[in-house]
Amino acid sequence: MNFTLRPWNDNDLESLVKYANNLSISKNMTNKFPHPYTIESGKAFLKMATQGSPTHIFAIDINGEAVGGIGLHPQDDIHCKNAELGYWLGEPFWGKGIISKAIPQILNYGFKTFDITRIFARPFHTNIGSQKVLEKAGFKLEARLEKVLYKHGEYLDELIYATRK
């Protein structure tokens, strides 16, 4: 399925809320990605995602509609050579290879744009799909932290995957 990565804009609010308001997505995300995902949630996200230069958070656009997001979050202090990868995709678009194709694009952009040598992601141990897509993109499992996350009344393991320049 064809898609493009582009900067978010205020016109994306309706589609952002439409696709992000899904428990199946939020259950694999930090609590900063709420459920229900409201208009107010979307406005706050768009305000954050449209700030900063160079752009580091992109909409996944299919036929002019933002159906997901992918971004890099450069770290600071002693972690300054690292960036965290985060992504989500609207459920109607799962299983179509979109994230598998988007990750290499964002890695290429990140290593060219930012002064970093490592990009990491932290999926929950229950998110098998995310683990597989990261491994397909060349990420290696660096660590498994047992029962360090607490989401919806349950302790979860945090996995740390990374790739290097």
Side-chain angles (χ1 to χ4, degrees):
M1 178 168 270
N2 292 331
F3 68 93
T4 57
L5 300 183
R6 61 159 174 83
W8 287 95
N9 65 67
D10 290 339
N11 295 330
D12 293 322
L13 181 60
E14 184 178 331
S15 62
L16 169 60
V17 173
K18 173 182 171 182
Y19 292 109
N21 188 26
N22 183 327
L23 183 59
S24 295
I25 296 170
S26 71
K27 75 177 184 180
N28 290 310
M29 307 288 280
T30 70
N31 290 338
K32 291 180 182 178
F33 194 105
H35 185 266
Y37 200 100
T38 64
I39 295 271
E40 291 75 26
S41 305
K43 286 178 179 177
F45 170 79
L46 289 173
K47 181 177 180 183
M48 182 273 298
T50 56
Q51 292 179 348
S53 181
T55 301
H56 63 97
I57 303 173
F58 296 87
I60 299 172
D61 183 298
I62 296 177
N63 299 322
E65 186 177 38
V67 301
I70 189 166
L72 292 171
H73 304 277
Q75 306 294 291
D76 60 10
D77 198 10
I78 61 173
H79 300 281
C80 65
K81 297 296 183 178
N82 299 272
E84 183 174 4
L85 169 67
Y87 49 86
W88 67 274
L89 186 65
E91 192 169 3
F93 304 95
W94 292 2
K96 300 183 186 311
I98 294 168
I99 295 297
S100 292
K101 292 176 185 165
I103 288 176
Q105 289 181 34
I106 202 77
L107 294 178
N108 186 45
Y109 173 81
F111 285 130
K112 284 183 177 178
T113 305
F114 301 101
D115 184 18
I116 57 174
T117 58
R118 177 176 169 269
I119 295 175
F120 67 96
R122 302 178 305 149
F124 301 169
H125 80 280
T126 52
N127 191 345
I128 305 301
S130 201
Q131 293 168 50
K132 288 181 180 178
V133 80
L134 290 167
E135 290 167 1
K136 183 177 178 180
F139 282 70
K140 303 291 184 220
L141 179 63
E142 291 184 341
R144 180 184 191 112
L145 307 175
E146 293 185 13
K147 299 185 185 335
V148 297
L149 308 174
Y150 188 73
K151 178 92 177 181
H152 296 151
E154 180 181 6
Y155 287 97
L156 303 170
D157 294 354
E158 179 178 36
L159 307 180
I160 301 173
Y161 280 85
T163 190
R164 295 178 186 269
K165 191 172 186 175

